[in-house]
Amino acid sequence: MVLAKVVGTVVSSHKAAKIEGIKFLLLEKIDPVTMKGKGDFVVSMDSVGAGVGEIVFYVSGSSARFTGVTEGKPCDSAIVAIVDYIEKDGSYTYEKNR
Amino acid sequence: MVLAKVVGTVVSSHKAAKIEGIKFLLLEKIDPVTMKGKGDFVVSMDSVGAGVGEIVFYVSGSSARFTGVTEGKPCDSAIVAIVDYIEKDGSYTYEKNR
Amino acid sequence: MVLAKVVGTVVSSHKAAKIEGIKFLLLEKIDPVTMKGKGDFVVSMDSVGAGVGEIVFYVSGSSARFTGVTEGKPCDSAIVAIVDYIEKDGSYTYEKNR
Amino acid sequence: MVLAKVVGTVVSSHKAAKIEGIKFLLLEKIDPVTMKGKGDFVVSMDSVGAGVGEIVFYVSGSSARFTGVTEGKPCDSAIVAIVDYIEKDGSYTYEKNR
Amino acid sequence: MVLAKVVGTVVSSHKAAKIEGIKFLLLEKIDPVTMKGKGDFVVSMDSVGAGVGEIVFYVSGSSARFTGVTEGKPCDSAIVAIVDYIEKDGSYTYEKNR
C-alpha cells in the first residue's frame, strides 16, 4: 500500500455505469519521512470516508476491488485506511491529532 | 486511476480477434495541478465515448477488464470516466465547460 | 497498452514447459510523437504474427493471458495489435505503409 | 519480490473492515549490494512476524493475497520472508546475525 | 517479461509456509543492447533450474503463479526461461555459449 494525502476531488457525470455513486478522491503520494507531497497524483475510490487533508494509504491493482465499495468494479486504486500515526526508527513522523 | 488527456487514436487492422471493433485512444498523462501533459503516453480502450481533447481517467491492470466493453479481453487500460472538474485544495484546476 | 517497435528475438531452449513453441519478441518502447525508441526493452509473446521493424502495442499483466496463444501461461506481456497508423492532434505521427 | 528493511509501523483506527487486526509495517526498499535504503517506502502487511530493523522481501499485487494473513483482503503488499543472508557474485552482502 | 542476469541467492529460514523449499534467486535487470546490469534488482523464484551468471527472463505479477513451482503461492516474480541468445536488428547482442 502507498501513503498519500487527500488533496481534492475529481467529478465526472459521464462514466462507466458500474462506478456511479462512488467518490473519486485526488491523492498526492507523500514521503513518510518528510511528509511532503511528491507531486505524483492518483485518483482513488474511497471505501472509508476519507476527507481532504487526511493522510491515508491506498491499495492498487486487483486488490483495489476487495473492498465493500469497489467489488466487481473497474477500480485500480482504493483508499483502505485513514492513518493515525506513522512511526519510523522510534519517533513519529506523523500524528493525526497533533 | 490516472488522469490523462485524449490526444489521438491508434488504428490497427491486424490485431487479436477479441479486440476487433474496439476504439483505441492515445492518452497523454497529465499533471492535475498544471494540467500540462507529461510526455508519457498509453493506448487505452474506450468504454465511455471519450473524444480527442477531453480529460479522462483510466483504469489499469486486471480491473481494465471490468467494463462492458472490455470484459474477457486482452486489455490493460480502459477509460472509465470523462472528467467534468478537478478540485484541489479548494480551487478548480480544471473545469470542462470553461 | 503500450506502443513499441519489434527490434529482435529472444531464443531459449530451456524454459517452462507451458511456453514451449511460443515466439518471444524483443520490443523497444517508443515515443508516439517522435517515434524514437526509448531505450526501454521488454520481452513479449506474439499473438498476431508481428515481425521485426513493425510498430505494435502490447498488453501487460494478467490481461496478457487473454489471447489465444497465451491463455493459462506464465506470460505478462503479449503483442495484441500491429499498428497501421497513429494520429495525434489531427496529424499522423506514424503511417505503416509510407 | 523486492528486498526492503522494516523501518517502522503505520497505525490506523479507521480502516476497511477486512483489514482489522493486521499489522502494517513501513518498509524502505534497499539496494542489495550496498544494503542502503533507497528512500522509497511502501506499507506492507506482515505475514511472518517481522520486526523493525530486519531485512525482508515482500510480494506485490494479487499475489500479496496468497498468504494466510491476507487472503481475500484488500492488500497489495505482503512480507513473506525474513532474510538470513544475501549472496552476490560469491560473497555475502548481508548476513543477519553478524 | 524482463531480461536479467542471475547474480546471487537470497536465503530465508523464516518465511511464509507456502514458499518453503523454493529457491530465491537475486536477479539484476540488464540492458539487452549493452548486456550491462542496470543496478536494479529483484528476487525471483526459479522454475527452470537457472544458475548464477546465466541470462534469463522472468515473468511478473499474477502470471508468476502460472509455473509448476509457483502455483497458488505468494510469488510475483518467476524465472521462466534461460536465454540462449538475443538478436537485435540482425546481429546477436548475446550468445550463451560464446
Side-chain angles (χ1 to χ4, degrees):
Chain A
M1 285 68 64
V2 171
L3 291 159
K5 187 178 190 176
V6 183
V7 295
T9 53
V10 177
V11 174
S12 164
S13 52
H14 192 86
K15 58 200 158 191
K18 285 183 182 173
I19 57 175
E20 295 282 347
I22 293 179
K23 193 165 190 181
F24 309 122
L25 293 176
L26 183 65
L27 306 186
E28 182 175 8
K29 298 176 194 177
I30 57 156
D31 179 306
V33 180
T34 63
M35 293 305 291
K36 286 188 183 160
K38 294 173 129 183
D40 191 5
F41 298 86
V42 66
V43 179
S44 196
M45 297 190 192
D46 183 22
S47 82
V48 292
V52 170
E54 289 187 305
I55 301 297
V56 299
F57 61 76
Y58 65 91
V59 60
S60 299
S62 62
S63 296
R65 299 192 309 268
F66 282 68
T67 76
V69 172
T70 57
E71 198 179 342
K73 299 190 193 304
C75 169
D76 65 6
S77 177
I79 300 172
V80 290
I82 299 171
V83 174
D84 291 330
Y85 58 86
I86 300 169
E87 183 264 313
K88 182 179 176 288
D89 296 325
S91 57
Y92 294 113
T93 62
Y94 172 73
E95 293 174 84
K96 191 181 178 182
N97 295 316
R98 211 193 176 178
Chain B
M1 287 67 64
V2 172
L3 291 159
K5 186 178 190 176
V6 183
V7 295
T9 53
V10 177
V11 174
S12 165
S13 52
H14 192 86
K15 59 199 157 191
K18 285 182 181 173
I19 57 173
E20 295 282 346
I22 294 180
K23 193 166 190 180
F24 309 121
L25 291 176
L26 183 65
L27 306 185
E28 182 175 8
K29 298 176 193 176
I30 57 156
D31 179 305
V33 180
T34 63
M35 293 305 291
K36 286 188 183 160
K38 294 173 128 182
D40 191 5
F41 298 87
V42 66
V43 179
S44 195
M45 297 191 193
D46 183 22
S47 82
V48 292
V52 170
E54 289 187 305
I55 301 298
V56 300
F57 62 75
Y58 64 92
V59 60
S60 298
S62 63
S63 295
R65 299 192 308 267
F66 282 68
T67 77
V69 171
T70 56
E71 198 179 341
K73 299 190 192 305
C75 168
D76 65 7
S77 177
I79 300 172
V80 290
I82 299 171
V83 174
D84 291 330
Y85 58 85
I86 300 169
E87 184 264 312
K88 181 179 178 287
D89 295 326
S91 57
Y92 294 113
T93 63
Y94 172 73
E95 295 174 82
K96 192 182 178 181
N97 296 316
R98 213 193 175 177
Chain C
M1 287 67 64
V2 172
L3 291 159
K5 187 177 188 175
V6 182
V7 295
T9 52
V10 176
V11 175
S12 164
S13 51
H14 192 84
K15 59 199 157 191
K18 285 183 181 174
I19 57 173
E20 294 283 347
I22 293 180
K23 193 165 189 182
F24 309 121
L25 292 176
L26 182 66
L27 305 186
E28 182 175 9
K29 297 176 193 176
I30 57 157
D31 179 306
V33 179
T34 63
M35 295 304 291
K36 285 187 184 162
K38 294 172 128 182
D40 191 5
F41 299 87
V42 65
V43 179
S44 196
M45 297 190 192
D46 183 21
S47 82
V48 292
V52 170
E54 289 187 304
I55 300 297
V56 299
F57 62 75
Y58 64 92
V59 60
S60 299
S62 62
S63 295
R65 298 193 309 268
F66 282 69
T67 76
V69 171
T70 56
E71 199 178 341
K73 300 189 192 304
C75 168
D76 65 7
S77 177
I79 300 172
V80 290
I82 299 171
V83 174
D84 291 331
Y85 58 87
I86 299 169
E87 184 265 312
K88 182 180 176 287
D89 295 325
S91 57
Y92 295 113
T93 62
Y94 172 72
E95 295 173 83
K96 191 181 177 181
N97 296 314
R98 212 194 177 178
Chain D
M1 286 68 65
V2 171
L3 291 159
K5 187 178 189 174
V6 182
V7 295
T9 53
V10 177
V11 174
S12 164
S13 52
H14 191 86
K15 59 199 157 190
K18 285 184 182 175
I19 57 175
E20 295 282 347
I22 294 179
K23 192 164 191 182
F24 310 121
L25 292 176
L26 182 66
L27 305 186
E28 182 175 9
K29 298 176 193 177
I30 57 156
D31 178 305
V33 179
T34 63
M35 294 305 291
K36 287 188 183 160
K38 294 172 128 183
D40 191 5
F41 298 86
V42 66
V43 179
S44 197
M45 297 190 192
D46 183 22
S47 81
V48 291
V52 170
E54 289 187 303
I55 301 297
V56 299
F57 62 76
Y58 65 92
V59 60
S60 298
S62 62
S63 296
R65 299 193 308 268
F66 282 68
T67 76
V69 171
T70 57
E71 198 179 341
K73 299 190 192 304
C75 167
D76 65 6
S77 177
I79 300 171
V80 290
I82 299 171
V83 174
D84 291 330
Y85 58 87
I86 300 169
E87 183 264 313
K88 182 179 177 288
D89 296 325
S91 56
Y92 294 113
T93 62
Y94 172 72
E95 295 174 83
K96 191 181 178 182
N97 295 316
R98 210 193 178 178
Chain E
M1 287 67 64
V2 172
L3 291 160
K5 187 178 188 174
V6 182
V7 295
T9 53
V10 177
V11 175
S12 164
S13 52
H14 192 84
K15 58 199 158 191
K18 285 183 181 174
I19 57 174
E20 295 282 346
I22 293 180
K23 193 167 190 181
F24 309 121
L25 292 176
L26 182 66
L27 305 186
E28 182 175 9
K29 297 176 194 177
I30 57 155
D31 178 306
V33 179
T34 63
M35 295 304 292
K36 285 187 184 161
K38 294 172 129 183
D40 191 5
F41 298 87
V42 65
V43 179
S44 196
M45 297 190 192
D46 183 21
S47 82
V48 292
V52 170
E54 289 188 303
I55 300 297
V56 299
F57 62 75
Y58 64 92
V59 60
S60 298
S62 62
S63 295
R65 299 193 308 268
F66 282 68
T67 76
V69 172
T70 57
E71 198 178 342
K73 299 190 192 304
C75 168
D76 65 7
S77 177
I79 299 172
V80 290
I82 299 171
V83 174
D84 291 330
Y85 58 87
I86 299 169
E87 183 264 313
K88 183 179 176 288
D89 296 326
S91 57
Y92 294 113
T93 62
Y94 173 72
E95 294 174 83
K96 192 181 178 182
N97 296 316
R98 210 193 177 178

